[in-house]
Amino acid sequence: MSSNKTPAPLSDDILALRLGLTTREFQRYRGQGLIVVTVTEEDENTAKVTCQLGNRIWEGFVANGEIIVEGVRFTRGMRSKTIVS
């Protein structure tokens, strides 16, 4: 089950730190829709948390409230295309 509405098994403090932000910045950007947090349950004790801010994506597997594996990646930007109708 994947949902943006599922509460992350990690606090805003931890997610902010992983993205290099203060908690206040993280909450402000999330409120503006600039940060997207997705939680996918892998099994009953493990969840995959994905937190994206622009081209920066933090992914972590959380088991029983602890991060067991994590990583940050950066996506390449796409050039904007002009649509002519």
Side-chain angles (χ1 to χ4, degrees):
M1 161 170 121
S2 175
S3 171
N4 286 336
K5 297 184 187 205
T6 303
L10 298 171
S11 70
D12 286 354
D13 297 332
I14 293 171
L15 293 174
L17 180 64
R18 295 309 196 260
L19 291 175
L21 302 170
T22 66
T23 302
R24 190 172 185 175
E25 289 170 327
F26 177 86
Q27 291 169 340
R28 187 176 78 234
Y29 293 156
R30 191 171 184 187
Q32 294 172 342
L34 300 174
I35 293 178
V36 178
V37 178
T38 305
V39 178
T40 307
E41 294 178 9
E42 298 294 313
D43 61 37
E44 60 186 56
N45 294 323
T46 307
K48 178 181 177 185
V49 179
T50 304
C51 189
Q52 181 173 357
L53 170 62
N55 71 336
R56 190 178 341 167
I57 301 170
W58 177 85
E59 293 178 309
F61 286 90
V62 179
N64 301 317
E66 293 188 32
I67 300 169
I68 53 175
V69 177
E70 68 178 315
V72 175
R73 62 189 166 94
F74 296 87
T75 59
R76 295 185 115 192
M78 294 180 61
R79 293 185 180 181
S80 62
K81 297 179 182 177
T82 303
I83 299 174
V84 179
S85 43

